[in-house]
Amino acid sequence: MKKNKKFQAIVKIDLQKSINSMIESWVMAGVRDIGFIGDRYTSQRLRHLKSALKNYSAPIHEEYFVAASGRFEECGYRGAVELIARGKVPRALMCAYDRIAIGAMRAFSERGIN
C-alpha cells in the first residue's frame, strides 16, 4: 500500500499591497480623511496604513488613529466612541480586523452615524 504524501500549504498575504489598493481607491474617490481603529496587537497594520497614505500623498491625521483597549468587538466599539468623543469622525475608517469593524459599526449606528 502506498503511503500518502504530506502536503504543506504555504499562504502569504501581502498586507501592504492590499492596504495600498484600498487607499488608492479612497483617494481616487476624493476621500482625504482616513482613520484607523486597532488594538495593542495591530500596530503593524497601522504602519502599513501610514505608509500607504504617504504613497498616495494623503494626509496622515493622527487624531483619527485609535489603539483602543480590549479586543475584538469591544475594541471597535471603544475606538469608535473615542473618535466620536474627539469631535472628529473620519470619512473612511480602516479597522485592523473584521471583529473590530463590527464593534465600530455598532457604536456608530447607535449614535446615528452612517
Side-chain angles (χ1 to χ4, degrees):
M1 194 177 266
K2 200 174 186 182
K3 288 185 178 181
N4 289 334
K5 292 182 180 182
K6 289 186 178 183
F7 291 96
Q8 181 181 10
I10 298 173
V11 177
K12 182 177 178 184
I13 298 171
D14 188 343
L15 189 58
Q16 185 66 64
K17 186 175 180 178
S18 299
I19 294 172
N20 285 348
S21 178
M22 176 184 67
I23 296 304
E24 178 183 27
S25 68
W26 285 346
V27 168
M28 289 182 71
V31 177
R32 309 286 295 168
D33 52 334
I34 298 168
F36 175 85
I37 298 175
D39 61 27
R40 66 178 184 239
Y41 301 108
T42 58
S43 59
Q44 181 181 10
R45 292 174 187 215
L46 178 57
R47 284 193 299 274
H48 286 315
L49 173 62
K50 288 180 178 180
S51 176
L53 291 169
K54 287 179 188 176
N55 288 343
Y56 291 96
S57 301
I60 296 175
H61 297 285
E62 294 287 340
E63 67 272 20
Y64 292 146
F65 302 152
V66 177
S69 62
R71 304 233 25 230
F72 312 114
E73 290 89 348
E74 175 188 13
C75 172
Y77 190 92
R78 288 181 179 179
V81 168
E82 185 173 330
L83 283 173
I84 294 164
R86 291 178 183 179
K88 292 186 173 187
V89 176
R91 186 167 166 210
L93 183 64
M94 176 185 151
C95 293
Y97 51 87
D98 293 350
R99 290 181 65 184
I100 289 176
I102 291 167
M105 288 187 296
R106 191 177 101 233
F108 290 130
S109 176
E110 287 176 359
R111 289 156 180 80
I113 300 171
N114 294 332

